[in-house]
Amino acid sequence: MSSFSDSDLTCNDFLGGRVRLWQPRSGYRAGVDPVLLAASVPACAGQFVLELGCGAGAAIQCLMARVPLLQATGVELQPAYAELARRNADENTNLTIVEADLSALPEDLRQMQFDHVIANPPYYRPGAYSPATDAGRRVALGENTPLQDWIDVAARRLAPRGYLHMIQKADRLPDLLTGCAGRLGSVEVLPLSPRANRAAELVILRARKGGRAAFRLHAPLVLHAGDRHVEDGESYTPQVSAVLRDGAALTGLFA
C-alpha cells in the first residue's frame, strides 16, 4: 500500500489530547510502548533527536510534546506510514520525515549527529511468531533487519556522549546487550512489568556513546495496579497514568 485513504484511518488522542495521531484503522497501531519510550528520554530544548522506524510518529511526537523546540527527524521504511507521519507532523509539531531503509540512509542524514536516537524495533525474530495478514503490521512486528543493525546505525548517528533509548521484548535483552558491546556503554535497563510480582515482558534500554559507567539493572516499572485483572477499564499505576495522560517523564527510574 502506497498511501491510506481517510476511510482507512482513525484519529486518536495521546497524552490526554496533547498529541492527536492519525493511525490505520486496520494495521499497525501504536499502543503504550512508544509513549513509555518517549517518556524515558532526558532530552532538552534545542537538542537533535532521531527516531529509527518511526511508523506514524507516536513516540517522537510524544517526546516533542513534552520537550519543546527539539530538532527532530523520523525515519520510516514503509511509504504509507511515512506519508502518515508527515501528515501527523503537519498537525502536531515540526518534524522531518525521511522515507528510507535504516541500512541505507540518505547521504545528508548520514552526515548528521544526534543527541538522542530512539527506536521501537520489531519485537519478533523471523520464525518466532505467526506473521500478520496486514502488510504494515507484518513489517512493524516481524524482524527483517537484525536488531544489532538497528543498534549499529543508532551508534553511528549519535554525537559523542549521546544516548540511545530502545524498547524491546524482555527476552531480546541478550541481543540488545550484544549489540551495544563495543559500540555503546553506560548501559542501563528498565524492566516493564505488567503487574507486581509478574515477570517483565518489555525492557527499555539506555546506552551512551562513549559511556564508561557500570551496567545498571533498575527495579521494574509496574504498569498496572493490583496483582491481577479484575474488571474492564484502565488500571494503570499513578506514575504510568501520569505518563500516558499528562505527558509526564519517567523521572527517578533511570540514573
Side-chain angles (χ1 to χ4, degrees):
M1 178 184 291
S2 59
S3 63
F4 294 104
S5 66
D6 283 351
S7 62
D8 296 326
L9 303 173
T10 64
C11 190
N12 304 106
D13 287 348
F14 288 76
L15 308 186
R18 294 172 64 187
V19 173
R20 304 200 70 205
L21 202 74
W22 290 98
Q23 300 194 92
R25 191 179 301 275
S26 299
Y28 177 74
R29 295 172 59 83
V32 302
D33 301 3
V35 185
L36 293 172
L37 173 65
S40 71
V41 182
C44 300
Q47 288 188 322
F48 288 79
V49 180
L50 173 67
E51 182 176 10
L52 300 175
C54 68
I60 194 72
Q61 292 289 357
C62 288
L63 177 57
M64 295 175 74
R66 177 170 62 84
V67 184
L69 303 177
L70 291 177
Q71 306 295 314
T73 301
V75 174
E76 173 53 39
L77 171 65
Q78 301 185 79
Y81 283 86
E83 180 182 311
L84 197 53
R86 292 189 187 97
R87 177 175 180 175
N88 287 322
D90 290 342
E91 297 186 14
N92 287 280
T93 52
N94 184 28
L95 167 65
T96 300
I97 300 297
V98 177
E99 182 186 322
D101 189 319
L102 65 89
S103 64
L105 297 178
E107 178 65 26
D108 58 343
L109 192 56
R110 294 203 305 270
Q111 300 304 314
M112 297 178 65
Q113 291 189 314
F114 296 85
D115 301 291
H116 301 276
V117 176
I118 65 173
N120 182 9
Y123 285 162
Y124 301 102
R125 300 180 183 89
Y129 73 109
S130 298
T133 55
D134 177 83
R137 279 182 57 82
R138 189 163 57 248
V139 173
L141 296 177
E143 181 179 277
N144 289 312
T145 301
L147 191 53
Q148 291 190 33
D149 290 357
W150 286 74
I151 297 172
D152 181 62
V153 171
R156 292 174 185 275
R157 298 282 59 79
L158 280 171
R161 311 298 291 172
Y163 285 103
L164 166 67
H165 286 78
M166 186 174 286
I167 189 167
Q168 185 52 259
K169 284 175 61 67
D171 65 4
R172 304 297 306 274
L173 180 56
D175 298 327
L176 292 173
L177 298 178
T178 298
C180 289
R183 296 181 177 93
L184 301 169
S186 300
V187 176
E188 302 179 54
V189 173
L190 175 66
L192 305 178
S193 177
R195 295 185 185 275
N197 301 317
R198 293 271 299 275
E201 296 181 357
L202 298 172
V203 294
I204 297 176
L205 175 136
R206 171 186 289 178
R208 196 170 198 182
K209 190 167 185 176
R212 297 181 179 274
F215 172 78
R216 295 192 66 181
L217 178 63
H218 293 273
L221 171 66
V222 177
L223 303 186
H224 295 276
D227 58 4
R228 61 189 176 92
H229 178 78
V230 295
E231 60 183 16
D232 292 338
E234 291 188 359
S235 60
Y236 292 115
T237 60
Q239 185 172 25
V240 172
S241 183
V243 169
L244 300 180
R245 304 298 168 227
D246 304 325
L250 283 175
T251 55
L253 296 172
F254 281 117

